[in-house]
Amino acid sequence: MQRIGVFVCHCGTNIAATVDVKAVAEALSHEPGVVISQEYQYMCSEAGQNLVKDAIKEYGLTGVVVCSCSPRMHENTFRKAASSAGLNPYLVEIANIREQCSWIHKDIATATEKAVILGKAAIAKVHLNTPLTAGESPVAKRALVIGGGIAGIQTALDIAEAGFEVDIVEKEATIGGKMAQIDKTFPTLDCAACILTPKMVEASQNEKITIHSYSEVSAVKGFVGNFTATIKKKKRFVDETKCTGCGLCTEACPMKKVPNAFNLGLDNRSAIYIPFAQAVPKVATIDPNYCLKLRKGDVNDKVCGKCAEACTVGAINYHQQDEYIEQKYGAIVVATGFNPIKLDKYDEFAYNQCPDVVTSLELERLMNAAGPNGGTLLRPSDKTHPHKIVFVQCVGSRCDDSKGKPYCSKICCMYTAKHAMLIREKYPDTEVYVFYIDVRTPGKNFDEFYRRAVEQYNVHYIKGMVGKVTPKADGTIDVQASDLLSNEQLHIDADMVVLATAIEPDKTARPLATMLTTQMDTNDFFTEAHAKLRPVESATAGIFLSGACQGPKDIPETVAQASAAASKAIGLLVKDSITCNPCVAHSNELMCNGCSACEKVCPYGAITYQDKEFRMPDRTTAIRRVAGVNPAVCQGCGACTVACPSGAMDLNGFSNSQIMAEVDAICK
Amino acid sequence: MNTFTYYPGCTLRTKAKDLDAYARSSAEALGITLEEPKDWQCCGGAYTTAKDEIATKLSAVRTLNAAKEVGRPLITVCSACHNVIKQTNYDISNDEEMAAKVNNYLKLDEAYTGETTVYHYLEMLRDVVGFDNLKKQVVNPFKGKKIAAYYGCLLLRPSKALAMDDPENPSIMEDFIKAIGGTPVIYAQRNECCGGYITMEDKAQASKRSAKVMDSAKEQGADMIITACPLCLYNLKKNSGSDLPVYYFTELLAEALGLKEANNE
Amino acid sequence: MNNNLKEQVIRSSGVNVLKCMRCGKCSGTCPSYDEMEYHPHQFVYMVEKGDIETLMKSESIYKCLTCFACVERCPRNVEPAKVVEAVRLAAIRKQGNNHLIADNIPEMLDEDLPQQAIVTAFRKYTK
Amino acid sequence: MQVNENKEFQPLIVAFCCNWCSYAGADLSGTNRLNYPTNVKIIRVPCSCRVNPMFILRAFQKGADGVILCGCHPGDCHYTSGNYFTRRRMTLLFSMLDFLGIERDRTRVEWVSAAEGAKFAATMNEFTEAVKKLGPNRRLEDLRCRKQ
């Protein structure tokens, strides 16, 4: 006779506000086999877990049902609790009455009714649960970091420091990411390159770190401790092992009018290029969209070939093809970063019509010593020095969904204060105006920094918003804006306008999330496993999050999170093995007819056939061909169970009878 | 197939005959038949956005329903008519409560719920005729002419309902200008209001607005400015104090197609 | 504060004034700003506060050109012009509150003034 | 209180969700507080390919009015190829149900990734509406299973 305990969680008011937890506990207490049914404020707390443990001992429970949050959240917690009280952990079932009930429904009566049904289904299932023992699987001692910006670099360095191999996969020709494009950093105003480039070099020289630049992750298979990733090294038409980064090819290249992506198109580069002087790896790459030879379509044609002629080490290879590398990893860290949004929907600011209306990132390049003007701030249109600059905050941030991004991009207030200050410092004759809605400066020394811009550098902060930007024939820009405090509409005759453009996750993030089976929010930021308590882990085991791919972040926060993600990854990599999933398939040899249907559908090759001797009813023996499952290889998908025509194949933890019992309980 | 219901509106019958006449003759030359619905009424000139206004929306619905009954898309020329009719059509398609109230009032044989497609004449040129095709039929191109397109507020906004073009960086009139051989002049005030009906009681405000538009176009080197709206034309001509010539876009179209003299007799 | 009037204006405009984040872009873009005593962002805020009568008495309601620049550019989709319209309707719907009197029209006319101006002004200013 | 005789038909909908994508997607719609009707009851399976057609028939027999099966997008299956099996098996099953006169709209296969909370909620809303329109399942329901 089964003795089942039911525990209903309030989750504070998360569940209790919409589900009448007392009624649920009461209703479930009448289910067959239930010997105790109680509710508690926080089942996952120690006191809550003790309730479960005590009940297991006191009532000699043979099964436990916890009605609480998603099993993806706390199934393990309760399994551990049961285990510590002497009950096999796989005799615990979770009814998800939070994510799939209280959080999505509003009406208490119907939500309660649904919670009861979900509880009944879990009880019906637990009746048929069998004790399972988990095996172990080895952990591949290597980490994959996707994205080579400051987040990816920091994570890789920390993991390598702990003694593990790390691969960085970066889609651009160099690592460095957005930070490499930034001029100075707030709130200390030190130069971004001065603090980033040594880290880039460190990463490239660290023997534990392999950098795959100009590469993408094209496939990921497997599970925690045991991922297999396919890395596509895109053809760059240059042999990385030979190229010395001397730059002779870039000088020889006759195609000089390629918009320089590193400088955001503010100047031009050659078709064969090294993104910037401190690029890592310092290797040339040919842009096939502009290269005269490659555009021709036939590389054997006699066209151009100047770069190959100039190269003294024979690194240029017009015949190079994409290369695919397959590698096993124990842990994966996502560090795909961010981009400024496109400003097509905000042309009242004349971004597409006037070259002197720029984004903040473009301003970084315009002010950078390695930028298009060698560090002198000049207007892109006529290369003259601007004397009046207007900054517009919150362009595309805090918007209605249909217009832009609903979130605050977080970094703009601070970098705008930085820009304003740097300009006033270097060009005291330049007037700087900042239109703001709110100045948001939470962070160590942040508000002090902003106050310095106002008090020391006399930057004009105006509470209000720019409504219309009109480029004029004389080259100046009429900025029409409201000044809410003086209640007037202003017209400023500016020389330049800088838009603090909202940031969004990189476009590669969504397909990557799908590949990794990790969660994302509606803005395409990766979702952490727990907003407060597990901020650097994704809900999928073995996948960790680093930097702005998880939400807008400044550099210090990014670095902190990168190191946190690294420590989580290291925590996984130091283990020699991790507990495997015991919910694997098994075949009932007496029922198996040896048809091989299961073997054909198994994606892991976990099923093999062997001839076995069986005793037949009339005391004879017969040799029969039957299926066997290797539990270390089986991942428990269950494809075989459906393919099996004789019903011999079943899946631990999700057996035919268990699922049928759930169906029956729901439909009763 | 290329027959459309054509709604001229009140002003095109009186003060803006040029806008109307050249629209008709050009359409004919381009192989488009325009049929006026019977007994049309004035659209009201301005769309009342208030949810509790029903009577002011009825005349536009009658026009839309007339087009629905003959099963043809509706073409408008005047920016104001276009704005009123298009907004009415948008709201009646998306606001069930309004659709119900309107239909209760009108008691049509079959309820009208936004079935008619509404084109502005410019959209017809772009989407039905095609600017490339138009270009081929131009006999008097405006070569070397720097023409500033004036959209005003009515053609583009609210963009959700009008859905003609990018509300902040439109190109339909510029593409039209290119098709008739001219050089479009881009200037920032092209999608700002001319002052509109405020001219009735506050000439100063209308002057200020229209002068701003004209100055902005002139500053960018425009030789002339074109519009689709009689009220814009009035404000820009009479109130701006500018000497920049203002024309209806249909005048230029007819001239480019070699029709203008014929109609000017 | 007049709750009835506030409710009427909100219902009639269909605008959720609580969506406003008070950036002032509507007023930054308004072509009639200098002619208005109360500006678009103030309309939204004063309706939220329920201070409608002040707005109804102000000439500002007749200065809005309904050009929809504020509607188009509002980052939060608040649609201030619809609020202005609703307040104006609340004012002119009152008996004897027509802002435009038919008898005065002839002196406003000139030979080029299009009909459109007259019908539009009627729509905007009278009931 | 008067009993409302025109009380709207509330269908019973069973949703099978794969653990890796769709179940996580369902959790995400919860985390984002995206509503869908209580009619939908989710059963967690490791992979959509774990769903035996028998489970679906059983659900109909026991009185479910609609059954929806959700898995990872094709090509993104956690187990590499499970959802391809699902797609084939369900095509077959649905055409059989068709043959039996079960309306096609009572069954559905939908791909919902772990990142698509909004899609999950939208799908469930839409599916519930579709099943509501069809009314109660009569063809396959075993009346002996009907609750008293």
Side-chain angles (χ1 to χ4, degrees):
Chain A
M1 182 58 197
Q2 293 273 15
R3 302 176 60 77
I4 294 165
V6 176
F7 303 88
V8 185
C9 183
H10 297 210
C11 195
T13 55
N14 278 307
I15 294 173
T18 10
V19 169
D20 182 347
V21 282
K22 283 202 166 57
V24 173
E26 157 64 20
L28 295 180
S29 70
H30 303 302
E31 285 297 291
V34 174
V35 291
I36 172 173
S37 177
Q38 52 188 155
E39 22 81 31
Y40 185 69
Q41 204 127 37
Y42 292 102
M43 285 309 305
C44 59
S45 68
E46 197 184 340
Q49 292 184 45
N50 284 338
L51 275 182
V52 178
K53 291 182 199 170
D54 295 345
I56 291 172
K57 290 177 193 148
E58 191 182 338
Y59 294 91
L61 298 184
T62 59
V64 166
V65 168
V66 186
C67 302
S68 61
C69 54
S70 170
R72 292 172 63 89
M73 189 70 82
H74 276 309
E75 189 171 53
N76 262 335
T77 312
F78 295 115
R79 278 181 174 168
K80 272 188 205 150
S83 180
S84 75
L87 184 72
N88 184 287
Y90 292 89
L91 299 174
V92 176
E93 283 298 327
I94 308 287
N96 185 344
I97 61 166
R98 192 178 77 174
E99 280 85 347
Q100 296 180 4
C101 190
S102 70
W103 276 356
I104 41 168
H105 306 312
K106 290 199 179 109
D107 178 56
I108 295 182
T110 52
T112 305
E113 196 184 321
K114 175 170 170 179
V116 170
I117 292 172
L118 294 178
K120 283 180 180 173
I123 293 168
K125 186 178 182 193
V126 88
H127 265 283
L128 300 163
N129 278 20
T130 48
L132 300 173
T133 316
E136 294 198 322
S137 88
V139 174
K141 304 260 174 194
R142 192 181 187 101
L144 171 64
V145 175
I146 305 170
I150 181 62
I153 293 171
Q154 185 64 45
T155 302
L157 285 171
D158 287 355
I159 295 175
E161 176 82 359
F164 297 102
E165 302 277 344
V166 194
D167 293 352
I168 299 177
V169 174
E170 166 58 52
K171 69 177 185 326
E172 302 296 338
T174 173
I175 58 169
K178 290 287 171 298
M179 190 174 167
Q181 292 175 295
I182 294 173
D183 184 36
K184 301 271 192 315
T185 56
F186 60 77
T188 46
L189 294 182
D190 40 5
C191 130
C194 311
I195 53 179
L196 173 70
T197 49
K199 276 202 181 286
M200 291 163 63
V201 173
E202 206 184 321
S204 76
Q205 289 175 346
N206 192 313
E207 54 190 25
K208 295 276 183 196
I209 299 178
T210 311
I211 297 171
H212 297 293
S213 65
Y214 212 56
S215 303
E216 300 165 351
V217 175
S218 61
V220 177
K221 286 186 291 193
F223 51 94
V224 51
N226 212 342
F227 296 105
T228 306
T230 310
I231 297 161
K232 174 183 170 187
K233 284 183 86 83
K234 294 180 280 186
K235 47 187 175 192
R236 68 197 312 164
F237 306 101
V238 175
D239 187 336
E240 267 182 74
T241 57
K242 290 183 187 161
C243 178
T244 58
C246 68
L248 285 176
C249 53
T250 61
E251 283 164 32
C253 179
M255 182 62 203
K256 301 277 191 220
K257 290 224 161 130
V258 183
N260 184 352
F262 185 75
N263 280 338
L264 302 162
L266 292 164
D267 63 354
N268 292 329
R269 59 159 163 79
S270 47
I272 185 164
Y273 67 101
I274 296 170
F276 60 104
Q278 298 96 337
V280 169
K282 198 166 180 190
V283 172
T285 305
I286 301 182
D287 187 334
N289 297 318
Y290 291 95
C291 171
L292 297 172
K293 194 176 191 75
L294 295 170
R295 259 170 53 183
K296 189 88 180 162
D298 177 13
V299 291
N300 295 317
D301 198 280
K302 293 260 177 288
V303 175
C304 195
K306 292 271 187 338
C307 51
E309 282 167 31
C311 183
T312 54
V313 293
I316 311 284
N317 175 7
Y318 299 119
H319 297 275
Q320 200 175 59
Q321 292 301 319
D322 293 341
E323 188 191 335
Y324 290 87
I325 304 170
E326 216 178 77
Q327 182 65 257
K328 274 200 172 300
Y329 298 100
I332 298 177
V333 182
V334 182
T336 44
F338 72 93
N339 275 308
I341 62 164
K342 290 239 176 311
L343 288 174
D344 294 350
K345 282 190 191 161
Y346 296 91
D347 239 29
E348 62 268 31
F349 299 126
Y351 178 73
N352 288 321
Q353 294 160 39
C354 179
D356 298 327
V357 178
V358 298
T359 67
S360 299
L361 193 58
E362 286 166 356
L363 184 70
E364 294 279 356
R365 295 315 302 154
L366 288 174
M367 292 181 23
N368 191 286
N373 303 325
T376 313
L377 179 58
L378 301 175
R379 305 195 330 151
S381 63
D382 55 7
K383 306 283 177 204
T384 58
H385 172 62
H387 292 279
K388 216 179 254 184
I389 303 182
V390 171
F391 286 85
V392 188
Q393 296 276 60
C394 299
V395 176
S397 302
R398 308 168 69 187
C399 285
D400 188 86
D401 284 345
S402 61
K403 294 258 175 182
K405 303 294 172 187
Y407 49 83
C408 165
S409 292
K410 199 173 185 176
I411 55 175
C412 326
C413 284
M414 283 300 285
Y415 70 57
T416 298
K418 172 190 78 179
H419 289 154
M421 214 184 284
L422 288 171
I423 290 169
R424 292 282 298 154
E425 167 85 33
K426 209 166 165 189
Y427 310 103
D429 61 331
T430 299
E431 291 286 309
V432 174
Y433 298 85
V434 178
F435 284 92
Y436 69 96
I437 306 172
D438 306 284
V439 178
R440 295 179 167 178
T441 53
K444 193 168 154 187
N445 293 325
F446 280 15
D447 206 63
E448 295 91 321
F449 183 80
Y450 150 59
R451 290 314 309 165
R452 233 166 76 211
V454 176
E455 292 169 30
Q456 202 173 322
Y457 287 92
N458 210 2
V459 175
H460 307 299
Y461 269 78
I462 301 171
K463 185 165 172 59
M465 188 68 181
V466 171
K468 175 88 182 174
V469 172
T470 306
K472 300 205 297 191
D474 64 2
T476 62
I477 305 166
D478 175 49
V479 178
Q480 179 184 316
S482 60
D483 177 338
L484 294 178
L485 294 182
S486 69
N487 204 10
E488 60 182 328
Q489 195 176 57
L490 304 175
H491 285 271
I492 296 175
D493 216 12
D495 298 316
M496 260 182 97
V497 174
V498 184
L499 307 176
T501 312
I503 59 174
E504 65 180 357
D506 192 80
K507 293 276 178 263
T508 57
R510 183 158 275 272
L512 185 66
T514 308
M515 210 185 290
L516 298 171
T517 67
T518 46
Q519 296 181 336
M520 276 190 145
D521 64 19
T522 46
N523 297 310
D524 280 8
F525 286 113
F526 282 87
T527 308
E528 57 281 8
H530 190 286
K532 265 78 75 182
L533 302 177
R534 294 171 69 195
V536 299
E537 296 157 81
S538 81
T540 306
I543 314 275
F544 306 97
L545 310 174
S546 174
C549 69
Q550 180 260 343
K553 274 182 196 65
D554 59 19
I555 295 167
E557 265 187 289
T558 297
V559 172
Q561 204 203 13
S563 289
S567 81
K568 283 288 170 187
I570 294 164
L572 169 61
L573 295 174
V574 289
K575 291 182 186 152
D576 290 324
S577 64
I578 45 169
T579 314
C580 316
N581 172 19
C583 295
V584 293
H586 63 271
S587 93
N588 182 340
E589 292 174 343
L590 292 174
M591 288 165 79
C592 175
N593 64 8
C595 70
S596 295
C598 55
E599 186 192 10
K600 289 192 187 108
V601 297
C602 179
Y604 303 100
I607 301 173
T608 48
Y609 278 84
Q610 58 187 135
D611 293 328
K612 266 194 172 175
E613 218 173 272
F614 286 88
R615 295 196 60 167
M616 302 306 277
D618 51 358
R619 297 198 170 202
T620 56
T621 53
I623 309 279
R624 285 177 49 226
R625 187 170 174 269
V626 292
V629 180
N630 178 348
V633 181
C634 174
Q635 296 303 321
C637 68
C640 54
T641 60
V642 183
C644 180
S646 54
M649 199 58 90
D650 212 343
L651 188 64
N652 289 338
F654 295 94
S655 70
N656 287 327
S657 55
Q658 283 175 311
I659 298 176
M660 285 288 203
E662 283 183 273
V663 170
D664 289 357
I666 286 174
C667 297
K668 205 154 51 180
Chain B
M1 189 184 138
N2 277 346
T3 305
F4 297 92
T5 304
Y6 173 73
Y7 178 80
C10 62
T11 313
L12 274 72
R13 273 299 159 79
T14 48
K15 302 285 181 197
K17 281 183 179 151
D18 281 356
L19 179 57
D20 180 47
Y22 294 128
R24 289 174 192 263
S25 58
S26 302
E28 200 184 330
L30 292 166
I32 305 261
T33 312
L34 300 178
E35 278 181 3
E36 231 177 273
K38 264 182 280 172
D39 309 326
W40 55 263
Q41 296 171 305
C42 169
C43 68
Y47 183 70
T48 319
T49 56
K51 301 252 176 226
D52 49 359
E53 280 280 323
I54 294 302
T56 47
K57 292 165 183 164
L58 297 178
S59 68
V61 178
R62 286 194 186 101
T63 304
L64 285 161
N65 191 57
K68 175 188 163 188
E69 279 173 355
V70 293
R72 294 197 182 113
L74 183 67
I75 303 261
T76 58
V77 187
C78 166
S79 303
C81 302
H82 182 69
N83 187 282
V84 171
I85 290 174
K86 196 90 195 238
Q87 284 210 66
T88 307
N89 209 28
Y90 179 83
D91 279 353
I92 209 165
S93 315
N94 293 288
D95 184 343
E96 279 180 31
E97 194 186 323
M98 173 197 156
K101 279 186 190 162
V102 166
N103 281 302
N104 276 343
Y105 207 105
L106 284 177
K107 294 268 180 283
L108 300 166
D109 293 338
E110 186 193 17
Y112 182 79
T113 52
E115 290 86 349
T116 299
T117 312
V118 183
Y119 287 111
H120 187 264
Y121 196 91
L122 282 163
E123 289 177 295
M124 179 200 79
L125 290 178
R126 180 187 64 188
D127 303 336
V128 180
V129 177
F131 285 137
D132 287 341
N133 284 330
L134 172 61
K135 199 172 183 174
K136 286 179 203 150
Q137 303 195 42
V138 168
V139 292
N140 299 325
F142 283 82
K143 227 177 185 146
K145 281 278 183 225
K146 297 177 86 176
I147 307 171
Y150 179 59
Y151 291 87
C153 52
L154 293 166
L155 273 185
L156 300 167
R157 295 193 290 257
S159 61
K160 245 195 304 192
L162 274 286
M164 177 190 274
D165 206 339
D166 181 336
E168 301 298 348
N169 193 9
S171 60
I172 185 167
M173 280 175 102
E174 283 73 12
D175 291 342
F176 165 75
I177 292 165
K178 283 185 210 155
I180 59 167
T183 309
V185 174
I186 311 275
Y187 61 107
Q189 294 288 320
R190 63 190 165 139
N191 61 341
E192 298 299 327
C193 184
C194 66
Y197 58 88
I198 210 84
T199 183
M200 293 283 287
E201 65 160 25
D202 190 348
K203 281 268 184 266
Q205 193 183 350
S207 293
K208 191 174 127 191
R209 282 307 318 157
S210 47
K212 195 155 186 180
V213 172
M214 294 297 263
D215 293 349
S216 166
K218 197 168 182 186
E219 210 187 65
Q220 299 292 341
D223 299 326
M224 62 174 85
I225 194 162
I226 57 168
T227 175
C229 177
L231 186 50
C232 295
L233 183 104
Y234 172 84
N235 274 325
L236 298 181
K237 259 190 169 167
K238 296 276 281 196
N239 289 332
S240 70
S242 168
D243 55 356
L244 194 66
V246 190
Y247 300 106
Y248 291 122
F249 75 100
T250 55
E251 288 182 79
L252 267 62
L253 174 62
E255 205 177 317
L257 293 173
L259 307 166
K260 197 165 171 186
E261 268 80 24
N263 276 292
N264 251 0
E265 287 170 350
Chain C
M1 162 151 171
N2 188 328
N3 266 328
N4 274 344
L5 257 177
K6 176 182 172 180
E7 237 171 70
Q8 184 201 325
V9 166
I10 284 176
R11 202 175 341 105
S12 159
S13 65
V15 167
N16 177 4
V17 287
L18 296 175
K19 277 170 74 180
C20 175
M21 66 166 161
R22 293 160 195 178
C23 69
K25 193 175 180 187
C26 46
S27 292
T29 205
C30 179
S32 289
Y33 188 98
D34 290 339
E35 283 73 21
M36 290 169 100
E37 177 189 6
Y38 297 104
H39 307 115
H41 74 279
Q42 288 171 297
F43 269 83
V44 175
Y45 184 56
M46 285 163 82
V47 168
E48 188 193 322
K49 283 201 305 181
D51 188 6
I52 316 272
E53 273 140 338
T54 317
L55 293 173
M56 284 165 66
K57 281 183 216 133
S58 166
E59 279 288 301
S60 302
I61 54 179
Y62 306 111
K63 298 296 181 186
C64 168
L65 300 164
T66 334
C67 76
F68 274 55
C70 54
V71 171
E72 197 64 48
R73 291 167 190 158
C74 172
R76 312 248 351 128
N77 240 337
V78 175
E79 308 183 309
K82 294 189 178 178
V83 175
V84 179
E85 174 114 351
V87 175
R88 181 175 55 235
L89 283 172
I92 59 175
R93 275 175 186 166
K94 284 192 181 168
Q95 190 73 39
N97 262 19
N98 277 347
H99 183 66
L100 192 68
I101 293 152
D103 291 347
N104 297 342
I105 288 188
E107 65 198 56
M108 295 177 175
L109 300 181
D110 64 61
E111 58 173 317
D112 293 324
L113 187 79
Q115 275 73 1
Q116 182 192 351
I118 307 165
V119 292
T120 309
F122 260 104
R123 271 283 149 89
K124 293 286 173 190
Y125 295 154
T126 68
K127 250 312 106 173
Chain D
M1 211 175 87
Q2 209 180 349
V3 180
N4 183 2
E5 285 180 355
N6 294 330
K7 201 175 166 193
E8 198 185 13
F9 163 61
Q10 289 299 338
L12 171 60
I13 289 168
V14 177
F16 291 98
C17 291
C18 86
N19 181 45
W20 303 97
C21 289
S22 310
Y23 195 87
D27 279 355
L28 186 61
S29 61
T31 313
N32 292 344
R33 310 295 197 273
L34 303 168
N35 292 47
Y36 56 87
T38 51
N39 308 54
V40 179
K41 315 283 192 299
I42 296 171
I43 294 179
R44 183 165 70 128
V45 287
C47 176
S48 58
C49 74
R50 175 65 190 94
V51 176
N52 198 313
M54 295 299 294
F55 301 160
I56 294 173
L57 294 173
R58 173 78 152 225
F60 279 127
Q61 185 192 8
K62 292 276 180 174
D65 301 295
V67 179
I68 182 164
L69 175 47
C70 300
C72 311
H73 285 267
D76 296 332
C77 176
H78 182 77
Y79 304 103
T80 323
S81 53
N83 48 7
Y84 294 130
F85 296 130
T86 308
R87 188 157 68 181
R88 288 197 191 181
R89 286 169 185 160
M90 292 307 135
T91 310
L92 220 62
L93 174 70
F94 294 169
S95 64
M96 190 198 94
L97 288 175
D98 231 15
F99 182 73
L100 292 177
I102 310 301
E103 298 90 338
R104 208 39 179 281
D105 290 346
R106 288 197 192 277
T107 48
R108 191 185 287 192
V109 174
E110 235 4 287
W111 312 126
V112 180
S113 83
E116 294 175 328
K119 182 182 176 188
F120 186 87
T123 303
M124 292 306 152
N125 281 313
E126 196 191 304
F127 185 62
T128 309
E129 274 316 303
V131 175
K132 235 179 225 175
K133 285 205 183 98
L134 291 174
N137 147 43
R138 300 202 192 284
R139 284 263 172 184
L140 270 187
E141 188 185 3
D142 185 338
L143 292 180
R144 289 166 298 181
C145 298
R146 185 175 281 183
K147 93 179 112 173
Q148 298 309 312

